[in-house]
Amino acid sequence: MSLLEKLPFGKRSQAGDDAAAATAAPAKTSSGKGRPTPKRKDAQARNLHPIVPADRKAAKREARAKQDEAWERQRIAMQTGDERYLPPRDKGPIKRYIRDYIDARYSLGELFMPLTLVLLIVFVAFSSRQTLLSFYFMLAIYLFLFISIADAVICWRLLRRRLYAKFGREKVQEQGHVFWYIFSRCFNLRRWRQPAPQVARRQYPE
């Protein structure tokens, strides 16, 4: 019987474990980082960033300055038609084409507000004297309103045909609210329109 066979099972196992540990020890030493592992609270402290700025007044002034700058860029874009800084509802070649077409034509709706104001002044001046004349003034206001609406609808139908031919039906329908965009601009005075007109009368877009 050999000497290894006489050793107890527990001693043989312990000798094998010691040999394996001795073999693995150099590998562990060679693959180490060479520095102690930081504690979790220290690592979390390094990753923390202050949510509230140290100087709230300075941060508020900076945010207000950026907002004022953005508003100023948008105001200038409303006058020059710069697409980069226009509001989302006015951006894009389709909206630009709509504005140019409406600004090139004469719309009855743009005369509705000033004419209504004049008729109302006349109505108030003569309402207590001649009832029949006041009735005719009110009738004229409503009649001109219906004619202006009909003119805006005609403009929408003609312009829609042009938009479909130039940009395609699906792309125009993706814009949404095209009718109200056309309608509201037709009922606004040319000098009060925003974005401001960039074309002259009768200068229709191609």
Side-chain angles (χ1 to χ4, degrees):
M1 182 179 298
S2 64
L3 181 59
L4 293 176
E5 293 177 354
K6 291 181 179 181
L7 290 175
F9 178 78
K11 292 182 179 180
R12 290 200 305 267
S13 176
Q14 184 176 2
D17 293 342
D18 294 341
T23 305
K28 181 177 181 182
T29 304
S30 61
S31 61
K33 294 182 291 185
R35 65 178 186 275
T37 302
K39 295 181 180 180
R40 178 180 296 178
K41 63 179 182 179
D42 295 336
Q44 291 177 350
R46 286 197 301 267
N47 293 329
L48 288 177
H49 299 283
I51 299 176
V52 180
D55 192 348
R56 295 187 179 183
K57 292 184 178 180
K60 187 179 293 186
R61 286 195 300 268
E62 184 179 355
R64 186 177 300 174
K66 290 182 179 179
Q67 185 177 6
D68 292 343
E69 185 180 355
W71 278 109
E72 182 63 17
R73 287 198 302 264
Q74 181 172 310
R75 186 190 66 82
I76 296 174
M78 286 298 225
Q79 299 298 322
T80 61
D82 191 347
E83 288 281 343
R84 296 174 298 173
Y85 305 115
L86 286 177
R89 72 180 294 267
D90 298 312
K91 281 187 176 181
I94 294 178
K95 296 298 181 61
R96 178 62 180 266
Y97 191 94
I98 292 173
R99 294 195 302 269
D100 290 346
Y101 183 86
I102 296 174
D103 296 337
R105 76 190 296 266
Y106 290 92
S107 301
L108 294 176
E110 58 185 300
L111 301 177
F112 176 73
M113 290 301 295
L115 183 61
T116 301
L117 181 61
V118 172
L119 291 176
L120 284 176
I121 293 174
V122 175
F123 172 76
V124 172
F126 291 94
S127 59
S128 59
R129 301 179 184 178
Q130 297 183 9
T131 306
L132 185 61
L133 185 61
S134 301
F135 170 76
Y136 285 141
F137 281 133
M138 291 301 299
L139 183 63
I141 291 175
Y142 283 108
L143 182 62
F144 191 78
L145 173 62
F146 292 142
I147 294 176
S148 300
I149 293 175
D151 179 69
V153 172
I154 293 173
C155 175
W156 168 68
R157 293 177 65 90
L158 295 175
L159 186 51
R160 183 183 60 176
R161 190 182 306 167
R162 283 172 167 252
L163 292 174
Y164 285 171
K166 185 174 181 62
F167 300 101
R169 179 186 295 267
E170 295 182 358
K171 193 171 182 180
V172 174
Q173 292 177 349
E174 288 176 359
Q175 293 288 312
H177 308 291
V178 172
F179 173 77
W180 295 111
Y181 193 78
I182 296 172
F183 189 85
S184 62
R185 198 165 182 88
C186 285
F187 269 80
N188 204 350
L189 281 172
R190 179 182 170 88
R191 65 177 58 186
W192 292 350
R193 291 171 182 171
Q194 294 293 331
Q198 303 298 316
V199 296
R201 295 284 192 183
R202 302 297 181 185
Q203 188 180 351
Y204 291 99
E206 297 180 358

